[in-house]
Amino acid sequence: MKLPPFEYACPTSISEAVALLASHGGDAKPLAGGQSLVPMLAFRVASPSLLVDLRKLAELRQIRITDNGVTLGAMVRWREILDDARLRTAHPLLVAAVEHVAHYQIRNRGTVGGSMAHADPAAEMPGIAVTCEAQIAVVGKSGARVIEAAAFFQGPLMTALRADEIITEIRLPQWPAKRRFGFQEFARRRGDFAMAAAAVFYDEDAGKLARNAHVGAIGVADRPLRLNAVEAVLDDNTIDDSIIAKAEAAASAAVDPADDIHSSGAYRKALIGVMVERALKGAASIG
Amino acid sequence: MTKPHTIGKRVLRLEDGPLIRGRGRFVDDLKFAGMLEASFVRSPHAHAAVRHIDTDAARRLPGVHAVFTCADLAPALTQERLPLQFRTDQLPADCAPPVLAKDEVAYVGEPIAVVIAQSRAVAEDAAGLVAIDYEPLAAISDCRVALRPDAPLAHRAKPSNLLIEFRQSYGDIAAAFGPAPHHARVNLKQHRGGAHSIEGRGAVAVYDLNEDRLTLWSSTQLAHEVRAFLMRLLRLDENQIRVVAPDVGGGFGAKFVLYPEEVALAVACLRLRRPVKWIEDRREHFLAAVQERDQYWDLEVSFDDEGRLLGLRGELIHDQGAYTPQGINLPYNASTGVTGPYIVPAYDLRVRVVETNKVATMPVRGAGYPEAAFAMERVLDRIAGALHLDRAQVRRRNLVPAEKMPYVTPLKTRAGSPVALDSGDFPRCLAMALEAIDYAGFAERQRAAWVKGRYLGIGIGNGVKGTGRGPFESGIVRIGRSGHISVYTGAMPMGQGIKTALAQICAEQFGVTADNVTVVAGDTAVIPHGQGGFASRQTITAGSAVHLAALAVREKVLSVAAHLLETGVEDLELHDGRVEVVGAPGSGLTLRQVAEAVSGVPGYAMPGKFEPGLESLQSFLPNSLTYGMGCHAVEVEVDIETGGIRILHYVVVNDSGRLINPMIVEGQLVGGTVHGIGNSLFEWMGYDDSAQPLTTTFADYLLVTATEVPNIEVHFLECPSPLNPLGVKGVGESGCVPAAGAIVAAIEDALSPFGVTISEYPVTPARLFGLIAAARS
């Protein structure tokens, strides 16, 4: 459980970081908070020839809140999100989800960009990005580009990121003050990866009908999912017990999780329904 | 007897100051000039023939000093296998693990070679370069399947996977089942995981050329036994080897055995004449430290209309793993522990201990008693269910009543003495627990919750733990010329607080506070004999030895003082470290003056012809086990939609005899209970059908953390043991014994509207969800 040999670089600019990554032809890895990568090195399931430490890239550590939404620098740590009082109104769903991320020590080091790049299907941040239709800004040797969250995650630990690219920002669209939302997660122990989690939000029109419903599911597929079938159940309806029951059933029906050593697929399939139900009840202030 | 002044007090632990300040010294804190580090090459196969080992590439890596295989170590060793720790005629000698595997590996993680390098990282790099030509063989994972005639064999050369079969039997079992009005069948799968102390295993071997002495610093629970086995394996005498356990960050049983790594390290050190360190990493702990794992129980019970037990019979199949480093005490304890605190008129259990291609099993905190208690508590709950009787009532009718103490059963401990419950008031323990948890008011709480769609349940679990195993433990009490009091013992501290307890016991006789006593333990250099830390034994055995030694030294102090003061012993009293004439405060002598007097002056006679020194070495030899009793009562809530389980209220009532330090006892009980909660709800060491381990990180193998632990309410009933001079009973393991029975019963009770039966732990949300779904459909 000691790290394999590797070269280490700690660039002070993004362009330098990108050049370092490009120079190793796919065999270099960016190091953000190290909360996933370092254990993988210790287990020797990853052995890059070069680690490019991003910790000195100050421009990646900013949280910007504008009329267009919330922009999280890739090196923003979980603790900084929880400590930023502005985010409780600027993006309460993000804050609710981040409260479930790992444990105290890990939240002090783990980063938003690291979690996105690692792409664990049970992690909260990728789920929030997909649910909220975030844009992921990246930069590589051929320049900067923006990837939609829905296209970013391609499978367990697989993303659209190229070997020479690093994530710079995660852009979450603007959050209306009166938006209703809920986040529910079931984990074996507080802070563990989700057995299943649901992120939901919708806006209400003057007649209290749901508009623009977004429902995300975490931990029930090879990547975070938007559950369009559930959103269709919610949109243009009053969110009451009967609609929530339909949403619960639709959520379970929409996923087909595989069995693993900890749980049957059937369990997770039922669980995501319960998480959607409870998140919606929270959003609608029912029960 | 005067009122004790330090025994029974909540004295702060003497161990904690350095630990809290980060000044503890664990094996990994030890650094020696020229020290090298070791990494072991371990089998990735559950079962394979080893055709060839090529170490050339590893040896050539810069920074590597040596690579040793079985063939390299053999000339230095008197035998290629570890000695079976509990020497017995019943078991074949070839059941013990090899030091390093030679031509066959029998579990994933089995050590095959050791690399010694300038650093652990280089050693690990080199370990990856050792090329081993394996021929994979069929592996056996499930101990029930292993008994089938066509099952793969755990070891090629053996005729079957059955290591040993034995029977526990007494009473007229046929008669007990013949006319009995009621029968029930209970099938159980019990699973307990590994030990997972915060500090894993580890050792540093250092050779002193000048003294021709090997010192092994090891995170172990049995320094003297490790020394004895190494003397035998390496042809050394007592002057040539010293074993020291520095601070030990938990053991829980898994460090109560000599491991292959310790032997390999000692040989490597002697060969290279350099200090060599090996620190187990967590993955190695998962793969290669002993576990408890699986037992399958198939029980049949007969009982009368009142729910009284008439007979209990059945079978137990125990997964022993690939090797037997210690013995079969774990299934043996399980088989003799079943009757526990209850009267069972007739009993017959067939036990089969079966080899599989998994790491060896050995006692982990509880040592078979938790499994035994769970089996019996499940049986009693089934009886209550069958007769529609209150579960507490069924227990009251079957508990050994206080007036029948001591209660001798026909069962024998592995030492051959009867399983005899020496003291206690079991019904009182139960009554205290029921009162503390408001058992009487529970039905109303449960009904009120149902109205809100919530599911509460309550469970009760009883369990006894045989504690204070012999054959002996040793203690020296010495007052040096400084007047300072020291205790030396063969007992082994590993976080329990035993140093504090021994200091209190010793301090009591000299009228000083515990912090005036220095306790030195875990070092073969300070005392000739020792057994170490296991079986919740040290306060009983080492405590009694220290007590006897302190009494002897006290007596000598008084005799010497009486001689010096020209008065009678009966006119003296000893308090605050001074001997004073009764009724004359400030008179008399300090302990230092007394010690000086018997230290002698060159050329002059000893005063009063006293032997020199104030010192006594005593051993305490218990005749039989003393039984601590625990009753747990638990209230839980089950979320039927997620299978989530929340413990709402946890009550522990424990009789540990006389309490030396109630705070330490409380800590031990809470720790043991948390261990039991882990076993019941979280800890699962998974293997697939080909015996590949599935859960080898703490992300997959879940330990209980602070967020899962409820407030655990501890109550004491102090029924002193008649079997030792202090009246104490062991407590280190007690907390985990009744836990699973109580917790599982509470979960089952919460789901009583659905008629769910639980026969297996750990109870995970996914498994519980499946049971609920099956019961509803």
Side-chain angles (χ1 to χ4, degrees), chain B residues 285-299:
Chain B
H285 192 81
F286 276 108
L287 296 179
V290 298
Q291 308 169 353
E292 275 215 356
R293 239 172 25 239
D294 297 330
Q295 289 188 350
Y296 294 88
W297 294 69
D298 180 3
L299 294 171

Side-chain angles (χ1 to χ4, degrees), chain A:
Chain A
M1 302 255 291
K2 300 293 179 199
L3 308 189
F6 55 83
E7 301 283 312
Y8 172 86
C10 193
T12 50
S13 73
I14 291 176
S15 58
E16 194 189 340
V18 168
L20 280 163
L21 288 171
S23 70
H24 275 64
D27 206 22
K29 270 270 180 199
L31 174 67
Q35 300 303 292
S36 300
L37 180 56
V38 172
M40 289 171 79
L41 295 174
F43 282 117
R44 302 198 172 205
V45 294
S47 51
S49 59
L50 171 69
L51 283 190
V52 180
D53 192 341
L54 307 181
R55 71 188 163 89
K56 289 189 178 166
L57 305 184
E59 61 266 54
L60 301 188
R61 302 201 55 178
Q62 292 177 17
I63 299 174
R64 288 204 315 277
I65 300 170
T66 67
D67 291 345
N68 293 324
V70 172
T71 299
L72 302 171
M75 289 294 286
V76 167
R77 300 179 199 274
W78 308 120
R79 168 57 47 204
E80 291 161 352
I81 291 176
L82 295 175
D83 284 349
D84 192 326
R86 300 172 303 162
L87 285 172
R88 286 175 220 157
T89 47
H91 213 295
L93 178 63
L94 170 71
V95 175
V98 171
E99 283 173 352
H100 289 266
V101 174
H103 308 276
Y104 193 86
Q105 292 87 341
I106 295 172
R107 288 200 296 268
N108 282 341
R109 290 205 66 88
T111 65
V112 167
S115 175
M116 297 289 286
H118 185 59
D120 190 301
E124 289 82 4
M125 189 66 216
I128 291 299
V130 167
T131 306
C132 297
E133 299 183 79
Q135 293 183 323
I136 294 105
V138 307
V139 59
K141 67 180 176 192
S142 50
R145 61 181 180 129
V146 172
I147 310 170
E148 299 296 330
F152 185 80
F153 299 103
Q154 301 187 336
L157 315 191
M158 289 188 288
T159 69
L161 209 56
R162 296 183 197 122
D164 62 290
E165 285 180 326
I166 59 171
I167 300 171
T168 53
E169 289 178 355
I170 293 92
R171 299 171 186 160
L172 296 163
Q174 194 263 340
W175 184 271
K178 291 191 171 173
R179 177 169 280 175
R180 290 189 168 270
F181 73 97
F183 185 86
Q184 282 287 322
E185 173 168 324
F186 188 82
R188 293 289 305 281
R189 301 169 305 183
R190 179 82 189 186
D192 281 349
F193 278 110
M195 300 288 287
V200 306
F201 67 81
Y202 57 87
D203 300 318
E204 283 178 329
D205 68 10
K208 296 282 178 194
L209 299 181
R211 303 284 187 202
N212 190 34
H214 281 59
V215 177
I218 295 167
V220 290
D222 67 348
R223 68 195 83 177
L225 300 177
R226 274 278 295 281
L227 302 182
N228 301 119
V230 182
E231 294 166 358
V233 169
L234 303 175
D235 274 332
D236 308 321
N237 282 299
T238 304
I239 307 304
D240 56 17
D241 282 334
S242 97
I243 287 292
I244 290 174
K246 282 182 192 160
E248 176 180 357
S252 286
V255 301
D256 188 19
D259 293 347
D260 65 26
I261 60 168
H262 294 299
S263 144
S264 65
Y267 173 63
R268 281 201 167 86
K269 195 174 169 68
L271 196 58
I272 192 63
V274 176
M275 293 300 106
V276 166
E277 178 222 339
R278 292 182 182 178
L280 282 170
K281 282 188 170 164
S285 309
I286 297 173

Side-chain angles (χ1 to χ4, degrees), chain A residues 1-5 41-44 103 186-193 195 248 260-264 266-271 274-275 277-278 281, chain B residues 120-121 124-125 281-283 639 641-645 681-684 694-705 707-708 763-766 769:
Chain A
M1 302 255 291
K2 300 293 179 199
L3 308 189
L41 295 174
F43 282 117
R44 302 198 172 205
H103 308 276
F186 188 82
R188 293 289 305 281
R189 301 169 305 183
R190 179 82 189 186
D192 281 349
F193 278 110
M195 300 288 287
E248 176 180 357
D260 65 26
I261 60 168
H262 294 299
S263 144
S264 65
Y267 173 63
R268 281 201 167 86
K269 195 174 169 68
L271 196 58
V274 176
M275 293 300 106
E277 178 222 339
R278 292 182 182 178
K281 282 188 170 164
Chain B
R120 174 66 178 253
E124 286 190 18
D125 292 347
D281 63 33
R282 190 55 61 177
R283 187 177 164 77
D639 180 338
E641 292 185 312
T642 63
I645 299 153
L681 303 177
F682 293 99
E683 295 184 50
W684 176 62
L694 301 172
T695 52
T696 57
T697 72
F698 280 144
D700 287 321
Y701 182 101
L702 305 187
L703 284 178
V704 179
T705 66
T707 47
E708 291 75 52
V763 184
T764 66
F769 178 85

